[in-house]
Amino acid sequence: MKNVILFASGNGSNAERIMHYFKGREGYNVSAVFTNNAKAGVIQKSEAYNVPVIVFNWEDMANGTLLKKVKNTTPDIIVLAGFLWKFPGDIIKEYPDRVINIHPALLPKYGGKGMYGMNVHAAVYNNKEKESGITIHYVNDNYDEGNIIFQQTVAVDECISPEEVALKVLQLEHEYFPVIIERLLSNKSD
């Protein structure tokens, strides 16, 4: 059984899509959702899929408690699905090349600290980009600088708002993120 754990901070649409994708899929299990937000929408979504939720705070990250809780879930892959804090270095070190993130733009453009959510889409829109897309990448100690695993583009030159850019990119996220997770897990030996 390949265990997937998710980290999310907000509504959790990508987390929900991933849980839905792997539900009933033989050999795969979303074993936990971690969130730094006790009021996050992802909590209800996780409960609907009977996936345990672990809420944590800064102190848990700083004192190693979070790493212990992650180890208890025996993850084969750790997926950041809308997680807004800088990911802890001790977990990255413990699970090299097993922590991945999705970014709502074509890195290296529009990446780095502060470039998340509508900030990214507004920048893409305001710069009149012809295309945007998604980047799935490994997580390292720097925001959005890990090795790129997968990118997919979408035309945004006819979009009339950053919100329209966001909708087009979100469709890509939902379509490709679970598939790439499964591909990565199927390439890892037991």
Side-chain angles (χ1 to χ4, degrees):
M1 182 69 68
K2 301 283 189 178
N3 283 325
V4 178
I5 66 168
L6 306 174
F7 276 74
S9 296
N11 187 40
S13 72
N14 270 315
E16 181 179 38
R17 178 69 185 110
I18 292 163
M19 288 183 282
H20 178 77
Y21 183 86
F22 286 109
K23 182 181 180 182
R25 204 171 211 90
E26 192 173 325
Y28 300 94
N29 178 46
V30 178
S31 57
V33 171
F34 286 77
T35 185
N36 58 312
N37 179 357
K39 296 179 180 179
V42 73
I43 294 171
Q44 285 184 320
K45 289 178 168 99
S46 301
E47 290 169 350
Y49 284 91
N50 296 314
V51 174
V53 176
I54 299 159
V55 180
F56 64 94
N57 58 31
W58 281 108
E59 187 176 324
D60 295 332
M61 285 177 38
N63 66 21
T65 300
L66 181 58
L67 174 59
K68 290 177 189 164
K69 289 178 179 181
V70 167
K71 283 183 177 181
N72 287 340
T73 67
T74 61
D76 291 289
I77 196 164
I78 300 168
V79 178
L80 309 190
F83 182 66
L84 299 181
W85 286 359
K86 189 165 190 324
F87 202 70
D90 60 345
I91 298 175
I92 295 168
K93 188 174 182 179
E94 184 73 23
Y95 297 96
D97 295 329
R98 288 167 55 197
V99 182
I100 67 169
N101 183 41
I102 191 162
H103 186 76
L106 300 170
L107 292 174
K109 285 177 136 184
Y110 306 109
K113 188 173 183 176
M115 291 306 286
Y116 60 89
M118 285 308 295
N119 296 345
V120 174
H121 305 304
V124 167
Y125 179 77
N126 292 333
N127 286 326
K128 298 178 178 21
E129 295 285 356
K130 292 189 184 316
E131 65 180 16
S132 189
I134 59 169
T135 303
I136 299 170
H137 64 93
Y138 289 108
V139 175
N140 65 17
D141 290 326
N142 301 310
Y143 288 109
D144 302 323
E145 291 183 13
N147 289 335
I148 293 172
I149 300 165
F150 176 84
Q151 289 186 309
Q152 183 65 42
T153 62
V154 64
V156 296
D157 53 336
E158 294 185 11
C159 290
I160 59 168
S161 69
E163 290 77 13
E164 193 174 337
V165 173
L167 285 173
K168 285 187 153 204
V169 170
L170 186 62
Q171 288 174 339
L172 291 180
E173 292 177 9
H174 288 177
E175 181 179 352
Y176 289 101
F177 205 12
V179 173
I180 298 302
I181 294 166
E182 183 178 28
R183 187 180 304 162
L184 289 169
L185 286 170
S186 67
N187 289 337
K188 293 191 182 301
S189 59
D190 289 319

